Amino acid sequence: MKKKLICSISSLLLLGSVFAGGSASYASGTVTAGAGDNEVKNVILFVTDGTSLNAINLARWYQGGKPLFIDKYFTGLSRTYATDSLTTDSAAGATALATGHKIKSETVSILPDTITMPFIEATNKGEENKPLPTILEAAKLAGKGTGLVFTSELTDATPAVFASHAASRDFAESISEQMVYNGVDVLLGGGSDYLVPGKEETNRTDGEDLTKVLKSNGYEYVTNKKDLLNTKTNKVWGLFQPEALDADFDLNPNEQPSLAEMTKVAIDKLSTNEKGFFMMVEASQIDWFGHDNDPVGIISEVLAFDKAFQTAVEFAEKDGHTAVISTSDHATGGLNMTNYDSMDDLRATLKGIKHTSYGIEGTINESNMVKVLKEEYGLTDLTKEEIAAVKKTLKNEENLSVVIGHMIGERIGVSFSTEDHTADEVGIFAYHPKNFKPTDFMQSGIIMNSDIGKYIQYVLGIDYSALEKTLFVSGEAFVKKGATVTIDKSNKLNPVIVVKKGSQLLKLPIDKNIAIMDGKTVQLNTLNLFIVSKTWVSQEAIDLIK
């Protein structure tokens, strides 16, 4: 029997408060997923990191003012603030989407220990820093396929919050291990260095080669576009650069897949799961170019996202059971357009640009700078001041992106107010087979970022409130059963939770989803975690001690 969507205003009021009262909350067991004969089985969430509405407008003018594909799907605005600040970081902003909870900046999918902002539910005593189940983890437990696609390295904040939990987004070694052991079916992006030992700062220091773990668990692991397109299984990890991928204007299409191509591959593989799938796609580097005040990089990555979004919506329209949502974790750079010239004047400058500022790194120097800026950007009218600024930046090995970005910006009427994040409300774009959008769910055009997370849970039929109570349990539950709990740090880089009761001995390697009970290895449904001096494990692990 097909489940029916509750669409009446009275039912929606039961589900959650209208925006003025804060984030929505709804009771477990009172909602069903889907929409009539078009039950939603799949959700594709896009996160355009650091993207303001002005950034989207700039990309629109770059292509002659023509609408972007996403334009017809605009549905409202999202408020992005964290529990401790007006302006959020990516970890807190993306966690709200992944869990339906606002959290503290810089933390990764854990309950906040600090709340200084309004309309946020207090954390229960003793649950500070408790891991929050993510929608990806919930989908996996429901038997759905799971996917992450991004252009950053895999440990960057946004992909990290969907498949790991940490007190700091900087704990890259822990985060990468958790992501491997969390069983994401398809993961495509950058950051191969983070999985293997080596001499680079990004390499693992614990000696573990996580690519071997992936392969032993039945994954194909690929590092170039050709091998990705030739993969045979539906369990694939593809990491195509040691760190982040190249920007769309800069990449070699023979070696590195575009965001749209990665999105299509992930959809093709995940859509074979009869129970459906959840996947997150991040246009990661719009944020980075915002920090660097590079309008060209922003245009490159917004347009790359627009193509990926089109790929997802075209699949959803044919499939009939897929919702597609896009929003930003926050805005970055404070981009403003103050051009009083014509569109043709703006495009006359932009049409001579071949690469982003990242794309010329390593090729420009003090002796060839005038030639490179002419060939790569069409800049033939450099002033003495601009030449001096570029020379100084190259000589001192400072951030060239900001200098070039400001040079381009001066010519096209684009300026930036900051090199940091901003507290702007950001756009929400959505497709649903029955046109039921996040703003319909909340009955408001301006909603919280956490409400988008709740909307995704709702349309997928995820009983998230029940999962919150059972997926991660304090290790104190072992003590209540008469056991002792210690942390074995004999291998400092691979600590283990050790539980003893009578003759029973349970070992729980931290950041992995395995238990060793009296010498026998058991796979668990979630990770073993140690966060701010406290252990968190699955109820399955607790039940192993009798």
Side-chain angles (χ1 to χ4, degrees), residues 247-261:
D248 200 66
F249 281 5
D250 304 331
L251 64 81
N252 181 338
N254 296 319
E255 297 178 1
Q256 181 181 300
S258 68
L259 188 64
E261 289 170 332

Side-chain angles (χ1 to χ4, degrees), residues 108-110 129-132 137 163-166 174 178 182 472-473 475 487 497 508-512 526-538:
V108 177
S109 294
I110 61 176
N129 303 306
K130 177 181 178 179
L132 285 162
E137 291 170 328
S164 69
H165 309 266
S174 170
Q178 289 183 48
N182 221 344
F472 292 104
V473 181
I487 305 295
I497 303 167
L508 301 166
I510 291 172
D511 295 334
K512 297 179 172 65
T526 195
L527 301 161
N528 309 312
L529 300 170
F530 186 68
I531 300 174
V532 191
S533 303
K534 193 169 184 177
T535 57
W536 300 94
V537 299
S538 67

